[in-house]
């Protein structure tokens, strides 16, 4: 892991819980800090910590329901890092930073062409 990513991850771990004291962005604030310091592309380095990999759910309707069901089905057998209801790249980064698990189950609402 690069030095920039380690620094960004440390700052996100400190700043994420502090955000819950205020209103808004609580679920994704750690990811916002991380992406501002290390850049969006660095999230790929965070995903390298997952031993099994990720499941990313996208689409127009049903993402939260499907993600929730999948988490409930898998969580009895394995520890999962997950993000749903806040379906942004920053929320995914926050889950990767703040949670433990060998697999990620994430909801993502595509917001632009990139």
């Amino acid at each position: 892991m690069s030095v920039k990513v380690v620094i960004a991850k440390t700052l996100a771990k400190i700043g994420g819980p502090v955000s819950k004291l205020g209103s808004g962005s609580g679920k994704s604030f750690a990811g916002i800090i991380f992406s501002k310091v290390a850049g969006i592309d660095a999230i790929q380095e965070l995903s390298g910590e997952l031993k099994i990999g990720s499941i990313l759910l996208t689409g127009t309707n049903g993402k939260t329901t499907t993600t929730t069901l999948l988490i409930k089905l898998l969580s009895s057998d394995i520890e999962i890092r997950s993000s749903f209801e806040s379906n942004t790249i920053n929320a995914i980064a926050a889950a990767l930073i703040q949670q433990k698990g060998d697999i990620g189950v994430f909801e993502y609402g595509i917001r632009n062409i990139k």
Side-chain angles (χ1 to χ4, degrees):
M1 203 174 289
S2 70
V3 173
K4 183 166 64 170
V5 168
V6 171
I7 291 168
K9 188 174 174 182
T10 302
L11 292 171
K13 281 185 175 185
I14 294 166
V18 171
S19 72
K20 293 180 180 162
L21 301 174
S23 61
S25 296
K27 287 185 177 180
S28 61
F29 193 65
I32 292 168
I33 293 170
F34 180 86
S35 63
K36 292 291 183 192
V37 175
I40 292 291
D41 294 338
I43 295 171
Q44 183 175 356
E45 284 189 57
L46 291 177
S47 67
E49 295 176 356
L50 297 168
K51 292 178 184 171
I52 296 172
S54 297
I55 299 170
L56 184 68
L57 294 123
T58 68
T60 305
N61 295 308
K63 293 183 299 292
T64 301
T65 301
T66 305
T67 304
T68 303
L69 288 170
L70 190 56
I71 290 166
K72 287 185 184 290
L73 287 169
L74 294 174
S75 64
S76 63
D77 295 324
I78 193 164
E79 195 170 13
I80 298 171
R81 298 183 202 198
S82 63
S83 173
F84 58 96
E85 294 178 336
S86 177
N87 58 8
T88 65
I89 192 71
N90 292 321
I92 293 170
L96 289 168
I97 292 165
Q98 297 175 320
Q99 299 172 15
K100 295 181 190 287
D102 295 330
I103 188 170
V105 179
F106 307 111
E107 171 186 340
Y108 180 62
I110 298 171
R111 289 175 165 59
N112 59 35
I113 293 173
K114 288 183 182 179

